[in-house]
Amino acid sequence: MDSAQREVLQEVEKAWPQQVAYLQALVREPSTLGNEAGVQRLMQGTFREMGLEVHTFEPDLGALSHLRGFSPPEWGYRGRPNVVGIWAAGGTGGRSLVLNGHVDVVSPEPVSQWSYDPWGAQVVGDRMYGRGVLDMKSGVSAMVYAIRAIQAAGLRLKGNVVLQSVIEEECTGNGALACLDRGFIGDGCLIPEPFPEVLVAQVGVLWGRIKVRGSAAHVMSANRAVNAIEKTYALIQAMRELEARLNKEKHPAFREVAWPINFNPAILRAGDWPSTVPAECTLEFRMGFYPGTSAQEAQAMIREQLLGAAARDPWLKENPPEITFFGFQAEGTVVNFQESPVIQTLNAAHQKVTGRALTPFASTATTDSRYFLLYYNIPATCYGPRGAALHGIDEYVELPSVLEVTKVIATFIWEWCGLG
Ligand SMILES: [Zn+2]
């Protein structure tokens, strides 16, 4: 490591208290679906302060809906912008880089089960608690402070860096897709999602909805009615069987993963009166599937499984469930650890900073990196801080890992783009 590089890492250390406060400010913005405006204003301010060329725009459904990888939302994008900041190269001959982070977070409910305020960003020992602190506002702080450290050391890069602060990673991915569609691309992409090892494979994910009809009746004749909730059980069971089958016939990239494919019956809506048999039940679910299967093929597989189960039930055979898909229509990815230039450079940076090589990680969830890999042919991966309980109760990040990741990302940036 030469003196310029050592200086950058010293700048990361120097700004650490500031970075912790910045992460707290990000977490204190409750940026659930539809409520991202506040955090994006903050990001816009950050990018301006850093002297970046700032672009703020809402995803345009008309422009996106014909693109590969598009996921149909059931909500709009008014007042929900992406923010992109470009740090122009100070020299030529280097590679450009996209640093992408999502600022949307999932609901913290049930909040009554938390030991800490989910929007409080409380620091306890080495941990910071809060919804989104791990997934992935600490990663966003790392990419911002990595660039800030390079700037503070008075250095310039030989390739452009494009910082993308996107919405909708948790439900469609259309935020990232909108950035790429607008031409905010690069020769490589790193997303500091909270994977302490480096992402080489991710499953595909579908969101769907099953509507089951019963026949309403007063409970005094319930023996002659059909309870829609109970009929839905049979379909949940059928999805569990599909899940078990897929986990038995493992994709080779997930050989080391105990249970790669997860079915989640997530939201159940039925009934409106304790003394009335519910005549309708709607189940919203999330289902994983393997890379190499298209979203359309995965839809067909799910339909076949559900309609097959329905055909074995006299009521459901006559009243088949209505199956629709919305939100995530995300396809899976696999990359070769040895052949990805982004992973190779990141691994070298990680070794330089920590003395330890990264190991390949296969994720049972999706990330926005799929767009870069599948539809824009841009080498991409995810790597970021350590913590626990993302999407759960008492989500936290281990702060020392955020500092380490920031140093690794700073090192990765200058190795990838080249110092000008
Ligand atoms: Zn995430």
Side-chain angles (χ1 to χ4, degrees), residues 102 135 169-170 193:
H102 69 85
D135 184 12
E169 191 275 344
E170 299 287 5
E193 287 274 16

Side-chain angles (χ1 to χ4, degrees), residues 102 104 134-137 169-170 191-195 366-368 390-391:
H102 69 85
D104 56 317
L134 181 63
D135 184 12
M136 59 166 284
K137 288 174 172 173
E169 191 275 344
E170 299 287 5
I191 305 182
E193 287 274 16
F195 301 140
T366 184
T367 72
D368 280 342
L390 63 166
H391 295 219

Side-chain angles (χ1 to χ4, degrees), residues 97-354:
L97 176 68
V98 175
L99 295 169
N100 168 297
H102 69 85
V103 290
D104 56 317
V105 301
V106 298
S107 159
E109 290 298 340
V111 172
S112 63
Q113 290 186 17
W114 282 66
S115 314
Y116 307 93
D117 175 0
W119 311 117
Q122 197 176 327
V123 176
V124 182
D126 274 350
R127 295 177 177 178
M128 188 189 292
Y129 286 88
R131 169 56 77 235
V133 70
L134 181 63
D135 184 12
M136 59 166 284
K137 288 174 172 173
S138 49
V140 170
S141 85
M143 69 191 208
V144 164
Y145 275 81
I147 292 289
R148 287 195 155 198
I150 296 170
Q151 293 181 326
L155 303 171
R156 297 297 301 269
L157 300 169
K158 288 199 278 191
N160 285 344
V161 180
V162 179
L163 287 98
Q164 302 179 346
S165 172
V166 303
I167 63 163
E168 288 264 321
E169 191 275 344
E170 299 287 5
C171 49
T172 63
N174 291 337
L177 182 59
C179 288
L180 289 164
D181 183 48
R182 286 212 172 207
F184 296 118
I185 57 171
D187 296 322
C189 168
L190 175 65
I191 305 182
E193 287 274 16
F195 301 140
E197 301 299 340
V198 68
L199 184 79
V200 293
Q202 62 193 323
V203 297
V205 171
L206 287 182
W207 279 9
R209 184 179 288 124
I210 307 169
K211 197 189 262 186
V212 179
R213 261 188 306 148
S215 70
H218 192 284
V219 282
M220 63 192 189
S221 54
N223 60 325
R224 295 196 299 276
V226 175
N227 187 313
I229 295 178
E230 289 176 320
K231 286 297 165 193
T232 303
Y233 285 175
L235 300 175
I236 292 177
Q237 202 44 50
M239 287 300 291
R240 286 289 183 215
E241 282 158 18
L242 175 61
E243 179 192 36
R245 195 175 79 220
L246 292 174
N247 281 307
K248 219 158 94 187
E249 306 160 356
K250 265 185 214 169
H251 184 291
F254 294 85
R255 206 176 291 124
E256 308 293 318
V257 182
W259 194 260
I261 300 299
N262 289 286
F263 167 64
N264 185 39
I267 303 171
L268 195 70
R269 286 195 194 92
D272 60 1
W273 199 252
S275 294
T276 299
V277 176
E280 194 170 276
C281 181
T282 303
L283 171 70
E284 291 178 6
F285 66 89
R286 175 269 195 205
M287 180 67 184
F289 61 97
Y290 287 120
T293 302
S294 71
Q296 257 174 357
E297 288 165 343
Q299 286 186 7
M301 174 175 71
I302 290 168
R303 266 182 214 286
E304 192 188 316
Q305 181 74 7
L306 289 171
L307 294 176
R312 291 188 292 276
D313 177 286
W315 171 265
L316 289 174
K317 191 178 174 183
E318 294 306 314
N319 302 275
E322 235 177 80
I323 305 157
T324 50
F325 295 92
F326 70 105
F328 275 132
Q329 307 299 310
E331 293 170 333
T333 65
V334 182
V335 298
N336 185 310
F337 186 93
Q338 305 299 336
E339 288 167 12
S340 163
V342 166
I343 291 175
Q344 287 302 308
T345 307
L346 182 69
N347 192 33
H350 192 268
Q351 275 177 288
K352 212 171 198 177
V353 172
T354 70

